[in-house]
Amino acid sequence: MRTAYLEGRSIAALARDHSVSRGAIRTAVADLLPDHAAAAEDSPAPELPVTLDMPGKVADFLLAAELELAERAALDQGVTARRGQGYTLRVSAVPAVHLRLLTRCQPLDGGPGTPAIPAQRKARREYENRVIALTPTGP
C-alpha cells in the first residue's frame, strides 16, 4: 500500500482497492504525507547562535574554569576586541550555552567566605543583562 502511494496512487483509489476508509489509508501512509512535515513543525525549532559581548573579566574567569565541551568551544572561538584598559570577548553560541556560562560565573558575585571584587561583580552583571535580554523569560 505504501509503495502504491509512493508510485502516485491516490488515497481514495487505495481505499477502494483495500475496502477500507480513506482515514485508514492516511494513517498507514501518514509519514509519507506532505501535511506530516507540518505536524513535525510543532516541535521546538533548533536554537540559532546568538553573538554577545562578554566582558574580559568574566571571560578570564570562565577560561580558567572547568567547562563543558560546547561552552569551551564557544569561548575558544570568541573574537577578542580591545576596550580601553580591558577587552571584550565576542562569543557566538546558542542561548542555552550563554545561560550555562552565566551560571558558571556566579562566584564572581562573591559568597560566604569569598569577597566579591566590585569590577568582577559589575562585569558579571553586564553579561547577565545581555543574556537576559535575549531570553524572553530570563534565567
Side-chain angles (χ1 to χ4, degrees), residues 32-50:
L32 304 174
L33 295 171
D35 295 338
H36 183 71
E41 291 174 8
D42 292 342
S43 62
E47 291 184 302
L48 297 175
V50 178

Side-chain angles (χ1 to χ4, degrees), residues 81-103:
R82 292 310 244 166
R83 300 279 189 250
Q85 294 179 350
Y87 75 98
T88 298
L89 187 66
R90 185 158 286 164
V91 178
S92 196
V94 294
V97 171
H98 281 294
L99 285 169
R100 288 196 312 260
L101 288 170
L102 179 63
T103 302

